[in-house]
Amino acid sequence: VAGVKWKSLMPDKKSNWITNDTDEEFDEFIPIGSKEAKSKGGTDLTIFKTYSLGVSTNRDGVVYDFDPQRLAERVEQFAEDYNSELHRWQKKGRPKDVDSFVSYEKLKWSRNLKRWFRQETELEFQKSCIRNSAYRPFTKLWLYYGRKFIDEVGTTERLYPLAKCEKENNSIVVNVSPERPFCVFICNSIPSKDIAGGFGSPSYCMPLFSYAQDGRERRDNVTSQGLDLFRLFYRDDSIKRTDVFHYVYALLHHPTYRVRYAGNLKRELPRIPFVSVAASATGGAPAKFSPRPSAQAMRGDAKPCHNPKASARLFHAFTDAGKELADLHLNYESAKEFPLRRQENIEAKLDWRVEAMKLSKDKKALFYNDFLTLSGIPSEVFDYRLGNRSALEWVIDQYRVTRDENGNIASDPNRENDEQYILRLVGQVVTVSLETVEIISRLPTVEAG
């Protein structure tokens, strides 16, 4: 140690001790969102006015389920157990040390639940609180969306306050995690905190619209400043907010963007560049990522340093790809099944139930259950990754039966009224993965740096 020549490090303006070579470049792009813009009266230039962390329940095993009836029964039992504890505490003279008093055998306690407890608030089950939720990539669960049952709802009430909002509001979801690869997905229902990237990888949701809490007033969430900037940069007044939304979704899938700015995406929300072609470029010239225009250019006083018409074509190519990706990922349950080869075990009883699926070592086959093996999985399927897993691996991970410490079923993805749902889902996600890879391959080439 005595012989080491130490180098002094100084944190940057964001208090980062370890910096990236791309930091200055990345900082010149438009923030996808910011805390300042979210706050009332915020004027910072961003793509989206508001964003939200997904729902953090602190008791997923209670308030999530694949089956709405099982969920209702479990939540009702949770409410009864909680109310019993509350009445027992009241009868004992309301001891001050609630932490030591309450029973932890039947209830999953949290800070907020104990706050309701100290306020002597009873829990009441309401069937209308059972809502659709985007739990993980390509995994939809039912959620009991009751404020007292969920530890932190964040500001998701402004994204999907009513079930009808699911028909019109889409949200781009990204993770920010120093430990896991970047993930981007899209959803149209209440997102979980870990939808993008899995447990421990906080997910931030950028909706197309936001609402008043009663759901009656809908507001555009792509900012006017952001929209105007895109129109100015590309000299195209026909650009709409939905175009910007889909441009962002496509850009966040672009391989060059994700590789070049991987270090930045691990510690902050994405920043969005423009794609452009240099003013002096001839036909077939590669695109580049460009920063936001200068104040002079924004006033329209300066000649653009890029070819607006050629650049606008690039923008619309991204927009078209983003729309394709969004439609594909939102409607994956309607996708055509990929024709995987079915190998049936004649010694096993015909059965469509899943306990725990498993890939073969070469990932060319999927052991569905004792009765069925699916083979012929194209290797390109695993090129579409969401965080540290491919889409197919997310399905394998989430669609399995789990049991509690006593061996009782805690979660069961199998559907009694649709026995082949999981089998069909596997084929559909293979198709979606292949089509995603193909759409991404058609995105315009962009030079790094």
Side-chain angles (χ1 to χ4, degrees):
V1 174
V4 173
K5 294 183 178 179
W6 297 99
K7 179 181 179 181
S8 297
L9 298 179
M10 292 296 292
D12 64 13
K13 60 184 180 181
K14 297 179 181 178
S15 299
N16 294 313
W17 288 91
I18 300 176
T19 58
N20 303 296
D21 293 339
T22 56
D23 285 353
E24 291 185 10
E25 183 181 332
F26 194 72
D27 286 346
E28 291 300 312
F29 301 154
I30 309 171
I32 197 172
S34 71
K35 292 181 179 179
E36 292 74 19
K38 278 181 66 176
S39 64
K40 189 174 182 180
T43 57
D44 280 19
L45 174 62
T46 60
I47 301 292
F48 296 104
K49 169 64 177 175
T50 189
Y51 61 92
S52 174
L53 275 170
V55 169
S56 174
T57 74
N58 269 338
R59 52 184 66 85
D60 284 9
V62 175
V63 298
Y64 279 109
D65 203 291
F66 286 97
D67 182 82
Q69 183 58 38
R70 283 199 306 262
L71 175 61
E73 293 171 0
R74 187 186 307 118
V75 172
E76 282 190 279
Q77 186 61 55
F78 182 86
E80 289 181 13
D81 292 340
Y82 168 90
N83 291 336
S84 294
E85 278 296 278
L86 178 60
H87 299 156
R88 185 173 71 88
W89 178 70
Q90 291 169 337
K91 289 181 180 179
K92 291 292 184 178
R94 299 171 175 80
K96 291 184 178 180
D97 190 355
V98 170
D99 293 340
S100 300
F101 178 86
V102 297
S103 171
Y104 293 85
E105 293 182 4
K106 293 183 178 181
L107 292 166
K108 176 69 182 297
W109 292 94
S110 61
R111 179 192 61 187
N112 288 351
L113 187 62
K114 287 179 181 177
R115 188 186 72 225
W116 294 117
F117 188 89
R118 291 186 181 95
Q119 294 175 3
E120 304 188 45
T121 303
E122 293 192 355
L123 297 186
E124 179 183 358
F125 170 79
Q126 293 179 319
K127 189 176 181 180
S128 60
C129 289
I130 296 179
R131 298 278 305 278
N132 289 308
S133 177
Y135 187 68
R136 295 290 187 273
F138 303 101
T139 306
K140 296 176 182 177
L141 268 65
W142 294 96
L143 166 67
Y144 189 80
Y145 195 54
R147 176 174 285 275
K148 296 181 180 66
F149 293 79
I150 293 175
D151 215 41
E152 295 289 349
V153 299
T155 55
T156 56
E157 289 175 319
R158 297 180 184 176
L159 277 60
Y160 300 99
L162 302 174
K164 69 177 184 180
C165 300
E166 298 167 11
K167 297 179 181 180
E168 61 184 15
N169 198 22
N170 300 331
S171 295
I172 295 173
V173 188
V174 300
N175 68 335
V176 178
S177 170
E179 299 173 350
R180 304 192 184 190
F182 178 71
C183 175
V184 58
F185 198 52
I186 192 168
C187 69
N188 57 4
S189 58
I190 301 166
S192 77
K193 182 177 69 67
D194 306 302
I195 177 180
F199 183 75
S201 187
S203 303
Y204 297 84
C205 313
M206 317 290 164
L208 183 58
F209 304 112
S210 63
Y211 301 83
Q213 288 191 357
D214 59 6
R216 294 180 180 179
E217 182 185 353
R218 191 183 82 178
R219 312 179 185 101
D220 289 313
N221 195 40
V222 174
T223 64
S224 298
Q225 302 99 310
L227 177 62
D228 290 343
L229 197 55
F230 274 90
R231 289 176 172 176
L232 174 69
F233 186 89
Y234 293 110
R235 300 294 195 264
D236 186 351
D237 291 337
S238 70
I239 293 175
K240 303 184 293 293
R241 285 182 167 87
T242 51
D243 295 328
V244 175
F245 183 88
H246 289 127
Y247 169 86
V248 169
Y249 194 56
L251 180 85
L252 295 180
H253 282 85
H254 198 285
T256 302
Y257 176 87
R258 291 172 67 148
V259 171
R260 181 165 180 77
Y261 305 110
N264 302 95
L265 296 171
K266 283 182 176 294
R267 67 189 188 199
E268 64 178 295
L269 289 172
R271 288 173 173 263
I272 308 301
F274 296 100
V275 287
S276 66
V277 176
S280 58
T282 57
K288 65 176 182 178
F289 293 131
S290 297
R292 72 185 87 177
S294 64
Q296 185 183 22
M298 289 179 68
R299 291 194 302 268
D301 299 335
K303 184 178 180 180
C305 60
H306 65 286
N307 184 325
K309 287 187 177 180
S311 298
R313 285 195 290 270
L314 288 175
F315 170 81
H316 287 293
F318 271 83
T319 293
D320 292 343
K323 190 176 188 306
E324 282 188 80
L325 289 170
D327 289 342
L328 185 63
H329 297 162
L330 287 169
N331 303 306
Y332 65 90
E333 291 174 306
S334 300
K336 185 178 180 180
E337 290 181 69
F338 185 84
L340 297 170
R341 294 189 295 274
R342 299 186 180 188
Q343 300 172 323
E344 298 177 0
N345 180 2
I346 59 175
E347 297 180 0
K349 181 182 177 181
L350 187 151
D351 187 13
W352 305 116
R353 277 188 58 83
V354 161
E355 280 286 329
M357 296 181 285
K358 184 180 179 181
L359 284 168
S360 61
K361 288 186 178 180
D362 60 7
K363 293 187 175 183
K364 293 182 179 180
L366 174 67
F367 302 112
Y368 184 83
N369 60 18
D370 292 340
F371 167 71
L372 184 65
T373 297
L374 302 172
S375 61
I377 301 173
S379 60
E380 294 84 359
V381 165
F382 302 97
D383 292 339
Y384 173 41
R385 301 188 67 78
L386 300 107
N388 58 359
R389 292 189 180 99
S390 66
L392 180 58
E393 287 168 317
W394 274 114
V395 170
I396 294 169
D397 177 75
Q398 292 298 308
Y399 283 83
R400 58 190 173 89
V401 174
T402 59
R403 288 175 166 79
D404 60 24
E405 57 187 15
N406 297 320
N408 299 316
I409 291 179
S411 177
D412 186 350
N414 295 282
R415 299 184 179 186
E416 293 184 3
N417 62 346
D418 189 358
E419 293 182 339
Q420 296 189 43
Y421 173 80
I422 300 175
L423 176 62
R424 188 167 63 251
L425 178 64
V426 168
Q428 290 168 328
V429 169
V430 169
T431 295
V432 168
S433 299
L434 293 173
E435 291 188 8
T436 297
V437 171
E438 196 273 330
I439 293 170
I440 292 173
S441 73
R442 288 192 276 108
L443 286 170
T445 301
V446 180
E447 286 187 337

